[in-house]
Amino acid sequence: MENYKENDDLMLYMALIEGVTINFNPTRNLIFSIVKPINYIEKPLKWSSGTLFFKNIYFTDLELINEFYEYPEFYRSAIISNSELLNKTIQKLNRLQKEYSSKLIHYYLYTLQGDMEIEFNIICESHEFILNDEAKPLEEFKGFDV
């Protein structure tokens, strides 16, 4: 097991995935709509909504399972600057004479989807994580049964 698989570099632990949007043209982008706990000690739990945006994707092995009445959630994440997958992706882009505008980054994400643990990787140019300032009790988010 690689050392990075226990990291949570993006601080996504227990963030629920509300939705996913994928854009393919002119650039490939992936946007996760999430609900993230603010403080695990406070009762009742306060959560904030936000987005996790991966820009200019060159590779992903994203797999999502739609379990009825259950949201998928993030548990681990890593930002990797040097990996075998990253090197293979760059070699393939160079071999195909594809242009990429900046240094590519390998993102590793570990999710719990229903009763399945699913890991996936994203090779892209950058990410952006925006969390709304307003924290709300979990009961205020539609679709969550507490």
Side-chain angles (χ1 to χ4, degrees):
M1 180 183 234
E2 292 88 350
N3 293 335
Y4 64 82
K5 290 192 174 186
E6 294 301 318
N7 295 1
D8 192 18
D9 296 340
L10 297 173
M11 297 185 294
L12 293 172
Y13 180 70
M14 287 183 59
L16 304 176
I17 302 170
E18 279 189 297
V20 178
T21 304
I22 301 172
N23 300 319
F24 290 103
N25 198 12
T27 59
R28 293 183 172 152
N29 299 316
L30 176 61
I31 303 166
F32 289 97
S33 298
I34 64 166
V35 177
K36 182 178 181 346
I38 302 301
N39 185 341
Y40 305 107
I41 298 170
E42 284 184 23
K43 301 294 181 207
L45 281 175
K46 300 273 185 173
W47 297 67
S48 186
S49 61
T51 56
L52 176 59
F53 186 33
F54 293 97
K55 301 176 183 180
N56 297 327
I57 296 173
Y58 291 88
F59 172 87
T60 184
D61 56 358
L62 175 66
E63 181 180 353
L64 294 174
I65 295 174
N66 186 4
E67 284 277 335
F68 196 66
Y69 289 120
E70 194 166 334
Y71 283 86
E73 55 192 292
F74 290 110
Y75 270 88
R76 298 280 183 254
S77 61
I79 302 171
I80 307 160
S81 59
N82 187 16
S83 71
E84 185 177 332
L85 179 59
L86 180 60
N87 292 333
K88 283 182 181 181
T89 302
I90 291 170
Q91 288 172 359
K92 182 177 181 180
L93 291 170
N94 289 337
R95 187 176 66 249
L96 296 173
Q97 299 179 356
K98 301 287 183 183
E99 293 183 26
Y100 48 98
S101 60
S102 65
K103 183 174 169 66
L104 298 181
I105 304 166
H106 177 182
Y107 295 91
Y108 163 82
L109 299 166
Y110 174 88
T111 60
L112 180 61
Q113 299 179 40
D115 61 353
M116 297 188 65
E117 298 173 0
I118 298 177
E119 301 172 312
F120 56 91
N121 300 278
I122 299 170
I123 306 288
C124 66
E125 292 182 0
S126 64
H127 84 283
E128 187 175 359
F129 184 33
I130 301 168
L131 199 56
N132 298 334
D133 291 335
E134 185 181 352
K136 299 178 182 177
L138 183 60
E139 300 88 35
E140 291 187 23
F141 287 99
K142 292 181 180 180
F144 293 107
D145 296 326
V146 282

